[in-house]
Amino acid sequence: SVSGGTHSTQYYIGLGYFRQEGIIDKSNFQRITLKFNNKYNLSPVFRIGNNISLAPYQQQNAPNVTYSVYRAQPVLKPYYPDGSFGVVYNVGNPLADLAYSNDFNKGIRGVGDIYAEASFFNSLTFKSSFGLDAAYNKSVSFTPQYTVYNPDGTASQQQNVMSRLNKGFSDNLTWLWENTLTFDKTYGKHAINAVAGYTMQQAASEYFNIPAANIIRDGRDFWYISGLTNLSTTYLSIINGVDPGQYYSMMSYLFRTNYTYDSKYLFTVTFRRDGSSKFAQQNRFGNFPSFAAGWNVSREEFMKNIPLINNLKVRASWGQIGNDKIQYWNRYAATQNLVAVFGTSPATSSAVTYGTSGNPNLKWETTTQSDLGLEIGLLDNRLTGEFDYYHRITRDILIDLTTPGYLGNGQGQKITFNAAQVLNTGFEATVTWKDHISDVNYSVSVNGSTLHNVVQKVGGSSGVDTVLFGGYLANGAASTASKVGLPIGAFYGYKTDGIFQSTDELNAYPHSSQAGVGDLRFVDVNGDKKIDGSDRTYIGSPIPKFIFGLNYEMSYKGFDFSFDIQGQTGNKILNAKDIVRPDPYNFEKHALNRWTGPGTSNTEPKPSWGGYNYSISDRFVLDGSFLRLRNIMIGYSLPASIINKLKMNELRLYLKGTNLFTLTKYTGYTPEIGSGDVISNGIDYGIYPITAVYSFGVNLTF
């Protein structure tokens, strides 16, 4: 990067290049980033500027072989003696999947804004900015014709009988126009800062995909789609369709004022009125106010006699925010295409029929939060702390629910409703100690937060779900149930109570007709003396009860050292990759302690390839707590006597490690299991593991 300027002009130019090869073959990414930030003072009261970033990129995507490797039998060899790919029964040869995969995408993304700013009357500033976020992507995926053969020379199920090509194009454009007027004035002990604004934004995206089959050659130069007319059986091209993506807009009015008296008493009032095109006219706008107050106790006269306390501030706030993060077409009813047969001489014709219902009554999801906080500084602010209590209720949650069959939506079809309410409460704290011993400067900071999550409402109207099922596995079973009184996305299954050790024990306890000696013993939760689906119950939550961290920094002359630790506890992980097992793939090592006879095990059932013992139960719900060394770094900055001779301002060398050590009881690749779906969280389907990174770097400043 290079920066500089004069009183009238300032500039910044940055150029970056990033390239990374993935841990798995055929996964890589490279990007060039170019930044231009400029500011021009055209007069003492008028300024214009821009902040623009452009980033062209290229990427290769590997197929999802992590799960296949996990399940593959470890005794099989991936290659035959002649070098051809060997059969890996039931899951396919992951190395063959990689070899025949050719999946690329490239594109460019530009983010930036231009603005104009004017000051007048020594207290007013008007700013207008127009920003763009534009992206274009082109993708191509090619799979050649291939077959993996069995040892006897016959074709296995892992094959592609006809080469296939997919090409896609997508574009995304979001623009945002913001106009704000700021008033900033001090009258003696009174200080006022107020902002009023009007904003508009629009987002649009589109995706276009074309597949083809039986490509004339495998070489990359021949991965093209022929004309869409005069198609032959040798080269088939089909338009798969156009996805309209997203197209919506938003308009907002906003206001905020901060008032301070004598630097002791602080008050803030904000108000937003947001309108979204995702909602019908009658529900388009939502109003979201907030209020905050603070008392800087340390500035009171009576605190001057308490030298131990350097800073003491009490604060409280209440506010609301809105959420419209749904597909823009969810309020509309939709049709679907089909093929119909008409006439006395039956002939097929294209037709359109009723598809799914929309919901024109959708409205803003609203989160209301209250906070109480305390800030304190002791011993010349060497010891500081922040402590907060929060109470957050999210109402009218936008969520998909199953509808009654008489609406004609078909089995399994879901419609979006404002139909859930969730409470989150907890405490947050950060404590920091900063000091020095001679030439050694150091700081230690610890933080932690508790979280209590509970669903207060689901559905609430006749004919829609009162329980939200999610976390569907490859066998079609739902593994989570969100209902009143439980955390959202709670795991839902059978509780286990040991292993049936004998026929007498089996006959003495309620059991499923599928259960036998050596199988899991499920708990009769409802006490009806039988085991069935009604005995499935709450078996754990993916939401941690406590999240914590520690950061340490130290410097001595030219040396610096730092590390940070992160962890959480109280959450569970569903080891879903260990559940779906219709064939004898690979097994986790807990199977070594399996039941082989009376008294041999009361936790691990007799071996099986699937069925009864693989029903969703607390057997697969594991402790998700972990403690991870997130980052550790040591650096050295050369002394001024050396860098001055090199005509530099700074030269720093450093070694850094990321994700080097994790302490956890979870048996999977990583205990950090994410999801974009709140009702399907904390489920390990066989994810790409988090990698450890060791790096060396040089910082140069001229």
Side-chain angles (χ1 to χ4, degrees):
S1 64
V2 179
S3 62
T6 65
H7 175 72
S8 59
T9 303
Q10 293 87 47
Y11 68 89
Y12 171 91
I13 300 174
L15 177 65
Y17 176 73
F18 175 85
R19 178 178 175 86
Q20 187 174 48
E21 297 291 336
I23 299 299
I24 294 178
D25 192 23
K26 289 192 174 182
S27 62
N28 55 69
F29 179 83
Q30 61 178 331
R31 178 186 65 234
I32 297 174
T33 304
L34 187 61
K35 295 182 179 181
F36 301 94
N37 298 339
N38 301 290
K39 183 178 180 180
Y40 306 94
N41 299 310
L42 302 183
S43 75
V45 298
F46 187 64
R47 299 165 295 279
I48 62 174
N50 65 266
N51 301 282
I52 298 173
S53 176
L54 297 173
Y57 61 87
Q58 293 183 352
Q59 184 174 6
Q60 185 175 15
N61 308 295
N64 183 17
V65 296
T66 307
Y67 189 30
S68 300
V69 171
Y70 166 81
R71 298 190 300 169
Q73 297 181 36
V75 296
L76 297 176
K77 295 183 178 181
Y79 300 100
Y80 293 134
D82 63 1
S84 61
F85 289 109
V87 170
V88 178
Y89 300 105
N90 306 307
V91 300
N93 190 323
L95 296 182
D97 289 337
L98 282 171
Y100 297 122
S101 171
N102 301 277
D103 189 344
F104 303 88
N105 64 285
K106 62 181 180 180
I108 185 171
R109 183 178 181 184
V111 178
D113 70 276
I114 57 175
Y115 65 89
E117 190 176 64
S119 302
F120 45 93
F121 301 134
N122 296 321
S123 58
L124 290 173
T125 302
F126 175 77
K127 183 177 181 179
S128 181
S129 66
F130 185 82
L132 283 177
D133 184 349
Y136 174 78
N137 185 78
K138 180 179 179 180
S139 63
V140 58
S141 176
F142 175 73
T143 305
Q145 179 183 2
Y146 74 90
T147 300
V148 176
Y149 291 94
N150 290 307
D152 61 4
T154 60
S156 71
Q157 293 182 347
Q158 188 178 5
Q159 58 179 297
N160 186 44
V161 297
M162 184 182 296
S163 63
R164 299 190 178 278
L165 174 68
N166 274 274
K167 286 197 171 184
F169 307 88
S170 66
D171 61 76
N172 302 271
L173 176 63
T174 300
W175 60 260
L176 172 64
W177 185 27
E178 296 181 304
N179 301 276
T180 58
L181 181 64
T182 303
F183 174 79
D184 193 355
K185 191 74 171 179
T186 300
Y187 304 91
K189 294 184 178 181
H190 305 272
I192 299 175
N193 178 279
V195 178
Y198 171 72
T199 70
M200 293 188 297
Q201 68 182 90
Q202 188 177 85
S205 64
E206 188 176 62
Y207 176 73
F208 184 60
N209 184 70
I210 305 176
N214 199 19
I215 308 303
I216 56 177
R217 293 187 186 179
D218 288 354
R220 191 169 182 178
D221 292 340
F222 294 88
W223 296 350
Y224 57 85
I225 306 295
S226 69
L228 300 180
T229 58
N230 301 321
L231 300 180
S232 67
T233 56
T234 306
Y235 191 94
L236 176 64
S237 295
I238 307 169
I239 294 181
N240 192 37
V242 177
D243 182 352
Q246 288 285 334
Y247 186 86
Y248 68 93
S249 56
M250 182 180 291
M251 181 172 65
S252 303
Y253 305 91
L254 56 93
F255 171 79
R256 186 199 71 226
T257 182
N258 295 323
Y259 169 73
T260 304
Y261 176 73
D262 198 21
S263 298
K264 297 179 183 178
Y265 312 108
L266 306 93
F267 302 92
T268 300
V269 177
T270 64
F271 177 79
R272 289 187 63 99
R273 179 171 171 81
D274 297 318
S276 173
S277 65
K278 295 181 180 181
F279 306 118
Q281 189 68 39
Q282 69 273 17
N283 294 325
R284 183 147 296 169
F285 282 89
N287 299 318
F288 307 105
S290 66
F291 309 92
W295 178 24
N296 198 341
V297 184
S298 56
R299 295 188 66 88
E300 297 288 354
E301 287 295 326
F302 62 81
M303 292 297 296
K304 293 181 179 180
N305 298 321
I306 311 176
L308 176 67
I309 301 177
N310 308 110
N311 178 48
L312 181 62
K313 183 179 179 181
V314 181
R315 45 185 164 78
S317 63
W318 176 93
Q320 293 182 327
I321 57 173
N323 176 34
D324 69 337
K325 298 300 186 289
I326 58 173
Q327 301 289 345
Y328 80 96
W329 57 72
N330 286 16
R331 64 185 171 101
Y332 298 105
T335 61
Q336 68 181 41
N337 299 323
L338 52 78
V339 176
V341 180
F342 295 101
T344 56
S345 298
T348 59
S349 301
S350 298
V352 176
T353 187
Y354 176 85
T356 57
S357 300
N359 184 358
N361 298 317
L362 293 174
K363 60 182 180 180
W364 284 88
E365 174 185 311
T366 303
T367 297
T368 303
Q369 180 166 327
S370 301
D371 288 88
L372 292 174
L374 173 70
E375 298 177 18
I376 189 169
L378 306 173
L379 303 173
D380 294 328
N381 283 323
R382 286 179 293 171
L383 178 63
T384 60
E386 293 189 27
F387 307 90
D388 289 271
Y389 167 77
Y390 66 91
H391 182 277
R392 183 187 308 127
I393 296 180
T394 304
R395 296 181 173 88
D396 298 321
I397 293 177
L398 293 160
I399 200 161
D400 295 337
L401 302 179
T402 304
T403 55
Y406 60 75
L407 292 180
N409 292 314
Q411 186 176 5
Q413 292 285 349
K414 291 179 177 286
I415 306 299
T416 304
F417 289 88
N418 293 98
Q421 180 171 307
V422 175
L423 168 68
N424 289 280
T425 61
F427 293 90
E428 297 178 339
T430 300
V431 177
T432 302
W433 173 264
K434 299 177 68 173
D435 202 358
H436 68 89
I437 302 174
S438 186
D439 292 333
V440 178
N441 297 284
Y442 68 96
S443 69
V444 181
S445 179
V446 293
N447 63 80
S449 61
T450 65
L451 175 58
H452 171 69
N453 173 280
V454 63
V455 177
Q456 295 184 324
K457 177 184 176 183
V458 174
S461 60
S462 176
V464 297
D465 295 332
T466 56
V467 179
L468 301 176
F469 292 102
Y472 287 92
L473 308 184
N475 59 7
S479 61
T480 72
S482 301
K483 58 183 179 179
V484 174
L486 294 179
I488 194 166
F491 295 128
Y492 176 73
Y494 294 102
K495 288 186 175 182
T496 59
D497 185 27
I499 305 292
F500 287 114
Q501 300 292 332
S502 64
T503 302
D504 291 340
E505 183 179 331
L506 179 68
N507 295 332
Y509 286 88
H511 62 274
S512 166
S513 59
Q514 300 175 345
V517 176
D519 287 331
L520 291 170
R521 188 168 67 195
F522 293 153
V523 176
D524 180 16
V525 173
N526 60 5
D528 62 358
K529 305 301 182 183
K530 61 181 180 181
I531 301 297
D532 55 25
S534 60
D535 292 305
R536 294 185 65 183
T537 186
Y538 170 67
I539 54 174
S541 170
I543 300 175
K545 295 181 179 179
F546 183 58
I547 301 172
F548 58 91
L550 181 147
N551 175 264
Y552 178 81
E553 296 180 0
M554 183 271 288
S555 64
Y556 172 72
K557 295 184 178 181
F559 291 93
D560 61 88
F561 173 73
S562 65
F563 69 86
D564 62 84
I565 294 173
Q566 178 188 351
Q568 64 185 38
T569 185
N571 64 300
K572 301 294 184 180
I573 296 174
L574 180 66
N575 191 4
K577 66 184 187 300
D578 198 27
I579 295 177
V580 182
R581 191 176 296 282
D583 289 302
Y585 303 150
N586 195 0
F587 286 83
E588 292 191 2
K589 65 180 181 181
H590 57 73
L592 296 174
N593 299 319
R594 64 194 180 276
W595 186 92
T596 57
T600 54
S601 175
N602 203 37
T603 56
E604 186 69 24
K606 64 185 181 184
S608 62
W609 298 346
Y612 172 82
N613 289 322
Y614 290 91
S615 302
I616 299 172
S617 70
D618 57 12
R619 174 192 176 201
F620 302 101
V621 176
L622 307 177
D623 187 355
S625 303
F626 71 89
L627 179 69
R628 171 162 281 165
L629 178 60
R630 182 67 66 188
N631 292 292
I632 184 169
M633 181 166 59
I634 184 170
Y636 177 69
S637 299
L638 269 67
S641 58
I642 297 178
I643 62 173
N644 289 338
K645 295 179 181 179
L646 299 175
K647 300 187 182 302
M648 295 181 182
N649 291 26
E650 181 185 21
L651 195 159
R652 177 175 177 267
L653 311 175
Y654 68 87
L655 289 170
K656 182 180 179 181
T658 303
N659 301 322
L660 300 188
F661 173 76
T662 302
L663 182 64
T664 182
K665 294 181 179 179
Y666 182 59
T667 60
Y669 296 133
T670 174
E672 293 184 273
I673 311 294
S675 172
D677 184 356
V678 295
I679 64 173
S680 303
N681 196 21
I683 303 173
D684 187 355
Y685 296 101
I687 66 171
Y688 191 106
I690 291 179
T691 55
V693 180
Y694 304 85
S695 57
F696 166 75
V698 180
N699 297 131
L700 302 175
T701 304
F702 298 91

